[in-house]
Amino acid sequence: MEGNARWSVVTAVAPVAWGTTYYVTDAFLPAGHPLYGSAFRALPAGLLLLAVCRTLPRGSWWWKSLILGVLNMGGFFALVYIAAQRLPTSVASAVMATAPLVMMLIAWALVSERPPAWHLAGAAVGVSGVCLMLLTGTGSPDPLGVAASGAAMAMSSLGYILAKRWSAQAGVLASTSWQLLAGGLLLLPLAAAVEGSPPALDGAALLGFGYVTVVATALAFAAWFAGLRHLPAATVGLVGLLNPVTGVLLGTAIAGEILTGRQLGGLLLVLTGVLLGRPVTRSGGAAEPAGWNRMRDASRGVGGQPRK
């Protein structure tokens, strides 16, 4: 179980980093350019990881990188950028908090990971905690913002499970860099066609993009996909609930917001949901879900070498 705990901590780097993205986007990045903003985030992060791993796609990973680049990076970034500028952080985070349940259902269908009852309970408790912590019932949320946030959640949930299914065929850093580059390259011509000239970036915007690129993208996605490789998707999805927790604590620390009793109760519920999602094995080793060994063996050829 020590290995599981270690990978859970590694995975937690991602939602904690992502929890700061809404604030950075709203405070530092230029408004009205979601496509350019997403491309400026993805491409430098992909190049950074590619410089580290120095591995290019081979065989089927050319088209797999394209699919994952759209689901996990290009389309996802654009939708999150739109949601961040049209919704309060609380509403956007609440919509994204349904991702663990969606990931469990997709993982059940695609990689034969049937979610245990306590994982489903963890998802229900965690989503309830997010709603209690963030939703105040004041105002009417922007429908386009809600749609963008929901679409981002659904796309990325599917993309994460596909990445898990294909993970035995490429290294974590390599596959992450390919996804980022594919998503960023697809966004550039679309951004030019829809948004015209790229936005001017002042010093604050450059610093904001630097943080989002290195910490909230390159580091965060590498940690996230490493977690997906070693842990059940249900566990990874529930760890992702730390995203809105980070947003609330960041607002308390930076914006001087007061943590109310209702928010504190919701935070405790979220943490309970995360704990319910921890993997448990009889032998004490790293958990491997049902069907995962069959899928991994099928992806390998003679001598355990990956099939091209």
Side-chain angles (χ1 to χ4, degrees):
M1 292 306 297
E2 291 182 1
N4 290 338
R6 181 171 62 251
W7 285 114
S8 295
V9 171
V10 170
T11 306
V13 170
V16 169
W18 293 335
T20 65
T21 303
Y22 287 112
Y23 171 79
V24 174
T25 297
D26 185 62
F28 299 104
L29 303 189
H33 294 83
L35 298 177
Y36 273 119
S38 302
F40 292 167
R41 175 183 180 182
L43 286 173
L47 290 172
L48 176 62
L49 292 178
L50 187 63
V52 174
C53 68
R54 299 183 180 182
T55 304
L56 293 175
R58 291 186 297 174
S60 63
W61 264 103
W62 286 104
W63 62 264
K64 289 176 180 177
S65 298
L66 184 63
I67 293 175
L68 296 179
V70 172
L71 294 175
N72 294 336
M73 309 300 177
F76 175 75
F77 289 163
L79 290 168
V80 167
Y81 202 97
I82 293 171
Q85 296 187 346
R86 301 187 71 96
L87 290 177
T89 300
S90 59
V91 177
S93 297
V95 174
M96 294 297 293
T98 60
L101 180 58
V102 175
M103 285 180 64
M104 289 181 200
L105 297 177
I106 297 175
W108 190 356
L110 293 185
V111 295
S112 301
E113 286 188 10
R114 183 174 181 175
W118 60 86
H119 283 173
L120 294 172
V125 170
V127 172
S128 299
V130 170
C131 293
L132 181 64
M133 184 171 54
L134 299 179
L135 297 182
T136 62
T138 60
S140 178
D142 185 308
L144 179 58
V146 173
S149 188
M153 179 275 298
M155 287 177 60
S156 60
S157 296
L158 174 60
Y160 296 154
I161 302 306
L162 287 176
K164 181 179 181 67
R165 181 172 183 172
W166 298 330
S167 64
Q169 303 171 10
V172 171
L173 294 184
S175 61
T176 304
S177 70
W178 303 337
Q179 294 178 58
L180 287 165
L181 290 172
L185 290 174
L186 287 172
L187 282 169
L188 275 183
L190 184 60
V194 175
E195 298 175 359
S197 301
L201 303 179
D202 56 16
L206 289 173
L207 288 175
F209 273 119
Y211 170 81
V212 169
T213 294
V214 177
V215 177
T217 305
L219 176 62
F221 275 101
W224 185 255
F225 288 122
L228 276 169
R229 181 165 299 200
H230 292 88
L231 297 171
T235 298
V236 175
L238 288 170
V239 170
L241 291 174
L242 294 175
N243 183 327
V245 171
T246 302
V248 169
L249 296 180
L250 187 65
T252 303
I254 295 181
E257 300 172 0
I258 298 175
L259 188 65
T260 65
R262 173 176 173 169
Q263 288 178 316
L264 182 59
L267 190 150
L268 293 176
L269 284 176
V270 171
L271 295 179
T272 300
V274 173
L275 290 175
L276 285 173
R278 70 189 187 280
V280 178
T281 60
R282 294 177 181 176
S283 61
E288 287 196 316
W292 177 247
N293 289 330
R294 295 193 302 272
M295 182 193 69
R296 182 183 58 192
D297 293 340
S299 70
R300 294 182 180 272
V302 178
Q305 295 301 315
R307 289 177 178 169
K308 301 298 186 290

